[in-house]
């Protein structure tokens, strides 16, 4: 294992973004940037041992801070996904968070994703990033530190260990917003990728994609991925919890609801290249998002890999969206001065 450091680029405000690349014994590598603590590149072998970059992204750093480009590869804090009306209550105190999309909060307002993180520690196979947010910043309570340690192994596992520390009872729902395309072919969407999601229920949503509080059964619907099958099989079907033309952008309620217990959440595979990704997590939910809000055409993207409609699959491990407003959803608060930890792994192999 080895690690190297370079300068990735400079943002319009003059801030420099660093890039740390961890390479394992077979040459597979991950490049992690200080901007949003994000995954900028992830090169893993296909069935013939050929390395390919399986994540969407950009060569130019400035595109990463444009929310219209979909939070490519970035970490998300304090609270991933949606908070209805940008409002929730803890022990009688109401907190008002940014309405950065419609009438709700999306991805905590974006601050954690679009800021530079501090590098706390590096080893030959890991990088730890840290971001501090003071009490009541963006309306969230507690002097709050999120540390994310990325570890890459010789058997192509990328592990994300999240640690939160706050001096006040508060909420956290950190995730990583990488879009995968295992074909490494810039001409291909993800519709031919095979997907399995280990969930029999999903969070029902209204016309603004906000949870209603009900849990729906996947059985008999386009959301049923209990068996490995092509994403494109039913992506255009009309369905009450899917917006026309957007396709999959839904939270699944994983079989495993015991927070803190690691289990397999999803499998993504590309038959042609043979590349396979397993997502493991100790969280109860996962957002399946296929980039249905991205522009249909456009050329900005690494090499010949455009960041456009349905070109990548995001598998965002999380507490269910808007958990803070639904006592029936599984959730754990961050208690004062007590470390809150969660882990997600992206395990790569070949079929
Ligand atoms: C959301 C999408 C959103 C995307 C990029 C996903 O987590 O569910 O609706 O477009 O993030 O912000």
């Amino acid at each position: 294992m080895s690690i190297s450091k370079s300068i990735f680029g400079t943002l319009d405000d003059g801030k420099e973004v660093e890039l740390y690349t961890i390479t394992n014994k077979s040459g597979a590598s991950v490049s992690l940037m200080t901007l949003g603590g994000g995954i900028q590149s992830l090169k893993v072998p296909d069935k013939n041992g050929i390395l390919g970059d399986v994540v969407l992204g950009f060569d130019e750093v400035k595109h990463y801070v444009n929310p219209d480009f979909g939070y490519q590869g970035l970490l998300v804090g304090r609270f991933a996904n949606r908070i209805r009306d940008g409002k929730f209550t803890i022990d009688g105190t109401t907190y008002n968070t940014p309405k950065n999309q419609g009438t709700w909060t999306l991805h905590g307002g974006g601050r954690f994703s679009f800021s530079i993180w501090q590098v706390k520690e590096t080893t030959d196979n890991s990088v730890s990033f840290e971001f501090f947010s003071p009490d009541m910043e963006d309306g969230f309570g507690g002097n709050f530190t999120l540390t994310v340690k990325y570890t890459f192994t010789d058997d192509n596992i990328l592990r994300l260990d999240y640690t939160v520390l706050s001096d006040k009872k508060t909420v956290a729902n950190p995730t990583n917003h990488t879009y995968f395309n295992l074909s490494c072919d810039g001409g291909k969407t993800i519709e031919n990728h095979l997907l399995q999601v280990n969930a029999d229920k999903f969070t029902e949503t209204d016309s603004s994609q906000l949870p209603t509080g009900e849990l729906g059964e996947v059985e008999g619907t386009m959301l049923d991925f209990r068996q490995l099958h092509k994403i494109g099989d039913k992506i255009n079907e009309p369905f009450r919890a899917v917006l026309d033309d957007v396709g999959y952008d839904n939270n699944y309620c994983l079989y495993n609801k015991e927070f803190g217990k690691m289990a397999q959440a999803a499998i993504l595979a590309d038959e042609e290249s043979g590349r396979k990704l397993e997502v493991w997590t100790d969280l109860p939910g996962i957002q399946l998002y296929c980039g249905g809000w991205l522009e249909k055409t456009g050329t900005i993207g690494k090499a010949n890999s455009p960041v456009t409609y349905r070109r990548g699959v995001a598998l965002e491990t999380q507490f269910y969206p808007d958990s803070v407003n639904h006592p029936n959803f599984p959730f754990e608060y961050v208690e004062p001065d007590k470390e809150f930890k969660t882990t997600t792994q992206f395990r790569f192999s070949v079929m």
Side-chain angles (χ1 to χ4, degrees), residues 72-293:
Q72 298 295 323
L74 303 172
L75 293 172
V76 179
R78 296 183 184 194
F79 200 92
N81 215 300
R82 290 152 178 84
I83 299 177
R84 184 183 284 270
D85 296 331
K87 202 180 181 167
F88 60 94
T89 300
I90 305 176
D91 299 340
T93 303
T94 298
Y95 296 89
N96 294 285
T97 52
K99 293 179 185 169
N100 60 322
Q101 201 183 67
T103 54
W104 57 94
T105 304
L106 179 72
H107 299 329
R111 180 183 301 277
F112 281 57
S113 304
F114 304 136
S115 299
I116 308 266
W117 290 47
Q118 303 302 313
V119 177
K120 271 217 51 196
E121 195 192 6
T122 63
T123 69
D124 64 350
N125 72 342
S126 73
V127 181
S128 300
F129 293 109
E130 190 173 280
F131 192 77
F132 171 72
S133 173
D135 186 27
M136 297 314 288
E137 186 171 53
D138 302 323
F140 291 97
N143 288 299
F144 180 103
T145 304
L146 171 59
T147 309
V148 182
K149 179 177 185 184
Y150 287 94
T151 309
F152 193 49
T153 69
D154 276 328
D155 45 2
N156 300 328
I157 296 174
L158 180 64
R159 183 184 160 114
L160 286 77
D161 291 300
Y162 299 84
T163 306
V164 173
L165 200 57
S166 166
D167 57 1
K168 198 163 150 183
K169 182 170 174 183
T170 191
V171 297
N173 195 9
T175 195
N176 174 282
H177 211 298
T178 292
Y179 296 67
F180 298 96
N181 185 319
L182 304 178
S183 75
C184 307
D185 178 338
K188 288 192 178 146
T189 69
I190 43 64
E191 281 160 83
N192 279 326
H193 277 49
L194 303 174
L195 178 70
Q196 179 180 315
V197 182
N198 298 329
D200 50 8
K201 292 190 171 59
F202 66 98
T203 41
E204 294 274 6
T205 43
D206 65 14
S207 58
S208 299
Q209 297 183 288
L210 294 162
T212 61
E214 302 289 313
L215 305 183
E217 298 283 338
V218 299
E219 187 162 6
T221 79
M222 67 181 286
L223 294 188
D224 190 350
F225 279 100
R226 289 173 299 171
Q227 307 286 333
L228 197 69
H229 70 91
K230 275 193 187 157
I231 292 178
D233 283 348
K234 295 186 174 173
I235 197 168
N236 294 317
E237 271 193 9
F239 184 59
R240 61 179 185 274
V242 172
L243 299 189
D244 281 350
D245 204 40
V246 172
Y248 297 109
D249 189 6
N250 301 85
N251 172 67
Y252 283 85
C253 310
L254 296 169
Y255 295 135
N256 171 33
K257 287 178 190 58
E258 211 181 301
F259 175 59
K261 192 175 137 218
M262 285 296 278
Q264 188 196 60
I267 302 172
L268 182 70
D270 172 50
E271 281 178 298
E272 218 174 299
S273 68
R275 288 193 187 88
K276 177 176 160 190
L277 161 65
E278 286 174 62
V279 181
W280 285 67
T281 188
D282 58 6
L283 287 165
I286 194 168
Q287 186 84 6
L288 166 64
Y289 172 53
C290 294
W293 287 107

Side-chain angles (χ1 to χ4, degrees), residues 296-307:
K296 297 240 157 109
T297 55
T299 51
I300 305 166
K302 283 184 284 181
N304 293 313
S305 182
V307 177

Side-chain angles (χ1 to χ4, degrees), residues 24 36 60 259 308:
N24 72 14
E60 260 187 281
F259 175 59
T308 45

